[in-house]
Amino acid sequence: LLLLLLLPCLVTASHSTPGCRIRITSKGLDLVKQEGLRFVEQELQNITVSDLHGQEGQFHYNISQVKVTDLQLALSDLHFQPQQHLAFNINNASISLRFRRQLLYWFFYDIGSINASADGVHIHTVLQLAKDQAGRLKISNMSCDASIARMHAGFSGTLRKVYEFLSTFIITGMRYLLSQQICPSLEHASLVLLNSLLDTVPVRSYVDEHIGIDYSLLQDPAVSTDTLDLDFKGMFFPRARESQELEHHAVEPVIKETERMVYVAFSEYFFDSAMQAYFQAGVLAIQLQGEKVPKDLEVLLRATFFGTIFMLSPTVDAPLQLLLQVSAPPRCTIKPSGTSVSVSAFLNISMVPPGHPAVQLSSMVLETKLSAKVFLQGKALRMQLDLRRFRIYSKQSALESLALFSLQAPLKTLLQLTIMPIINERTKNGVQIPLPEGIDFTKEVVTNHAGFLTVGADLHFSKGLREVIDKYRTAPTTHTPTSAWPTEPSLGPHQL
C-alpha cells in the first residue's frame, strides 16, 4: 500500500516536465531529405579510393587518381524509425568515375584515362539520435550497408580488345574498393560533420546582460513513424545565479497536430521563468525624475492629486520623482482565448527639492493585467504587451484611495503611452528558438491552448548544410599522395 501511494511521486520525480517542446513531422523530414541528399552527393563526390595495382600473367596494371564525376541518386528515402532513429535509404543509384590507367602487356605500354560506371548502388543507413551529456541532440551511432550490383569500364586505344578481355579483375577490384569507401564517408559525414551542425543549436546561452536561457534536452528524442519530439527544459535564469532551478508547476505542453513541418510548444512555465529571472535580476523597475517625467503626467499629478490631498500648490518648482517597481514576479496565463500577464507593482511619488533629500508624497499599489501577443519572427520568439486592465489604490489611507479613483483612466492612458513603449523596447529582440543555424521558420501560426501555446510553421533552409558546416569546422590539412609511377613510358617492365 505504501509503494502504491509513493508511485505517483516516484513517476513525477523521474520525469521532468518540459517548458518547450519541438515536434518535427514527416513533412518537415521531406524538406530535410532534399537538403540532406545534396549534402550526401557532395560527400560521395569526395570519396577517396586507394590506388589499385597488380599483375596477371604478363599483364601489369596500375589504377590511380580515381575521381567521382557524376552521381544519380534519384530513388532515396528518409523516414522516422521508432524509437530513436532516422533511416536513410538510397536505391538503384549510379556513380560515374574517371581514373588514370597505366598498363603494360608484354612490351606494349599504355597510359590514359578510363571512364567507369557503378550501377545498382544500394545504401542503407540508420542514424541513432540521443541526448549527450551537455543536453544537446546528437547522432550517437550509425549503421551502414552499401553494395554495388554492377560496374562497367570503357577502354579506348589500340589495345582496347585486350583490355576488355583482361579487365575483369580490374573492375572487380574497383567495385570492391568503391563499395568499401561509401559507408566510411557517410559515417564521417554523420558523426562528425552533421554533429558539428547540431553544435550550432543553443543549449545554454545568454539572452541579454541580465538573464540567460537553458534549452538542454531533458531526455532522448521520442520518435514515432510520423514525428520526432524533443523535450527541452525551456527555463530562464538570472545571470547572477546561473545554477538556480525554478520549481515547475505549469501543465505539460501537448502537440497533437502533424499538418505543418514543425511545431514548437511553450508552457506558462517558459514565460514565468523569464519574468522571475528578470525580477530576481532587479531590472523590473523604472525611475523617472525631473525632465524625464512625462509633462502631461506631471501636470495631472500636481493639479489633481497633490492639490486635492496634500494641499500643495501646483506652482511648486521642486521636480517630481516617480519610481515604478514590480513587487512580485509577474505571472503568465495562457488560455484558448489569449495570453495575459498579471503584474503587481508599486508607484512611489516623491518631490526632490534642489539640495534637499527627496520627500515621498505617496505610495500607490498598481495591479495590472497585460494582454500579450506572442509571435515568431525568424527564429526569435517575441512578445508584444498591451495594457488591458489597470487599478490603483493607496497603502496609506482609504481617503487617498478614493481620490485616486478619478486618476485611474488618465493614468492608464499615460502609462500606455509612456511606460509600455519602454517595456516593449526592452523585449523586442525576443529569444531564439533552438534550431540549427541555416534553418528558419516560415508561415508561422500561433495557437493558444489551456496552459500552453503552439507555433506551427514550415521550414526554410537559408543556408546549405555544407555552408554552415564549413563555417564552424577547421579545414583539414590536405595531403596529395605521390605516385611512384613515371609520367612517361619506362624502358622496361621491371619498374612496374
Side-chain angles (χ1 to χ4, degrees):
L1 179 61
L2 180 61
L3 289 176
L4 291 176
L5 292 174
L6 291 176
L7 184 59
C9 299
L10 295 175
V11 172
T12 303
S14 63
H15 174 69
S16 298
T17 305
C20 172
R21 172 173 290 167
I22 293 182
R23 163 170 289 184
I24 300 175
T25 67
S26 296
K27 292 183 179 180
L29 200 61
D30 289 339
L31 179 67
V32 174
K33 185 192 77 171
Q34 298 172 16
E35 183 62 30
L37 195 59
R38 284 191 288 268
F39 175 68
V40 169
E41 289 177 350
Q42 294 169 349
E43 286 301 302
L44 293 181
Q45 284 176 345
N46 294 325
I47 284 179
T48 301
V49 180
S50 303
D51 293 352
L52 179 66
H53 57 85
Q55 177 180 352
E56 184 70 21
Q58 296 299 320
F59 183 60
H60 302 259
Y61 60 91
N62 188 76
I63 303 300
S64 61
Q65 300 178 15
V66 181
K67 293 183 179 180
V68 177
T69 58
D70 187 44
L71 288 166
Q72 297 295 329
L73 308 179
L75 300 178
S76 63
D77 175 59
L78 178 65
H79 62 272
F80 297 117
Q81 181 174 309
Q83 302 285 327
Q84 303 163 17
H85 302 90
L86 287 177
F88 181 61
N89 299 318
I90 296 176
N91 296 311
N92 202 26
S94 64
I95 304 176
S96 298
L97 305 170
R98 187 178 182 87
F99 47 87
R100 184 173 182 263
R101 72 174 187 265
Q102 289 176 293
L103 307 174
L104 179 67
Y105 184 67
W106 292 95
F107 296 102
F108 295 97
Y109 181 80
D110 184 45
I111 61 173
S113 60
I114 300 176
N115 293 322
S117 175
D119 299 321
V121 179
H122 297 275
I123 305 172
H124 177 66
T125 304
V126 177
L127 306 177
Q128 183 174 359
L129 306 176
K131 174 182 77 74
D132 68 3
Q133 293 182 349
R136 180 179 277 110
L137 178 66
K138 285 290 185 179
I139 301 173
S140 60
N141 195 14
M142 170 188 166
S143 62
C144 177
D145 180 48
S147 63
I148 299 175
R150 306 171 295 280
M151 193 162 186
H152 307 281
F155 294 91
S156 61
T158 57
L159 300 179
R160 179 172 60 87
K161 293 297 183 181
V162 177
Y163 297 157
E164 290 178 353
F165 177 72
L166 297 172
S167 65
T168 302
F169 45 86
I170 296 179
I171 297 304
T172 302
M174 286 299 300
R175 175 183 169 188
Y176 173 78
L177 290 176
L178 180 60
S179 63
Q180 291 299 304
Q181 293 300 315
I182 291 176
C183 284
S185 177
L186 294 182
E187 183 176 352
H188 177 265
S190 301
L191 299 180
V192 177
L193 301 184
L194 288 182
N195 274 337
S196 70
L197 175 69
L198 294 175
D199 284 339
T200 66
V201 178
V203 172
R204 193 174 178 90
S205 58
Y206 293 141
V207 176
D208 53 30
E209 64 271 24
H210 305 294
I211 69 170
I213 176 71
D214 188 339
Y215 272 130
S216 57
L217 279 173
L218 296 175
Q219 57 192 357
D220 291 335
V223 181
S224 69
T225 55
D226 299 315
T227 61
L228 182 150
D229 288 345
L230 300 167
D231 287 351
F232 299 91
K233 179 179 287 188
M235 187 196 76
F236 293 82
F237 56 87
R239 292 181 59 170
R241 293 178 236 174
E242 294 193 14
S243 60
Q244 171 181 289
E245 290 286 337
L246 176 64
E247 191 173 355
H248 197 316
H249 297 291
V251 300
E252 180 174 344
V254 178
I255 304 176
K256 298 181 179 180
E257 300 87 353
T258 58
E259 292 77 17
R260 307 297 293 273
M261 291 185 181
V262 63
Y263 291 89
V264 188
F266 302 94
S267 73
E268 292 174 345
Y269 171 80
F270 180 86
F271 301 100
D272 285 345
S273 67
M275 292 181 287
Q276 178 158 332
Y278 274 123
F279 178 78
Q280 293 181 348
V283 297
L284 297 185
I286 298 176
Q287 181 172 302
L288 305 175
Q289 182 174 330
E291 296 181 354
K292 293 184 178 181
V293 178
K295 196 64 179 177
D296 293 341
L297 180 58
E298 181 179 2
V299 171
L300 179 67
L301 291 174
R302 287 181 183 276
T304 306
F305 180 61
F306 296 150
T308 302
I309 301 298
F310 296 102
M311 303 300 179
L312 296 176
S313 171
T315 60
V316 174
D317 293 331
L320 288 180
Q321 180 188 82
L322 307 181
L323 174 61
L324 179 62
Q325 185 168 354
V326 174
S327 56
R331 296 300 302 271
C332 176
T333 302
I334 303 176
K335 297 180 179 179
S337 57
T339 302
S340 61
V341 178
S342 300
V343 183
S344 295
F346 60 83
L347 175 63
N348 289 340
I349 304 175
S350 305
M351 299 194 77
V352 188
H356 295 82
V359 179
Q360 180 172 310
L361 301 179
S362 179
S363 179
M364 310 177 189
V365 176
L366 284 72
E367 293 183 354
T368 63
K369 180 163 283 191
L370 310 175
S371 62
K373 178 184 178 182
V374 180
F375 60 97
L376 203 60
Q377 190 168 3
K379 280 192 293 190
L381 183 72
R382 302 184 178 183
M383 178 181 287
Q384 182 78 20
L385 296 171
D386 185 56
L387 186 60
R388 188 171 66 184
R389 278 194 268 173
F390 176 80
R391 186 172 77 94
I392 56 174
Y393 59 91
S394 173
K395 295 191 299 182
Q396 299 176 357
S397 67
L399 179 63
E400 187 175 7
S401 296
L402 183 63
L404 289 173
F405 184 78
S406 62
L407 285 177
Q408 291 200 74
L411 191 57
K412 176 182 177 181
T413 301
L414 289 173
L415 289 176
Q416 181 75 19
L417 296 176
T418 58
I419 303 300
M420 294 309 300
I422 298 176
I423 296 175
N424 285 322
E425 177 67 22
R426 291 184 177 180
T427 61
K428 71 176 183 178
N429 293 329
V431 61
Q432 295 295 309
I433 292 178
L435 278 184
E437 183 174 338
I439 303 179
D440 294 323
F441 295 106
T442 61
K443 303 177 183 178
E444 308 90 349
V445 176
V446 178
T447 305
N448 280 46
H449 305 272
F452 66 95
L453 59 86
T454 60
V455 181
D458 289 337
L459 295 173
H460 167 69
F461 278 90
S462 58
K463 298 179 182 178
L465 295 179
R466 171 64 57 186
E467 181 182 354
V468 178
I469 289 171
D470 289 344
K471 176 181 177 182
Y472 285 96
R473 74 185 181 105
T474 304
T477 304
T478 57
H479 173 68
T480 303
T482 58
S483 175
W485 281 75
T487 57
E488 297 296 334
S490 61
L491 298 178
H494 63 276
Q495 296 185 7
L496 290 171

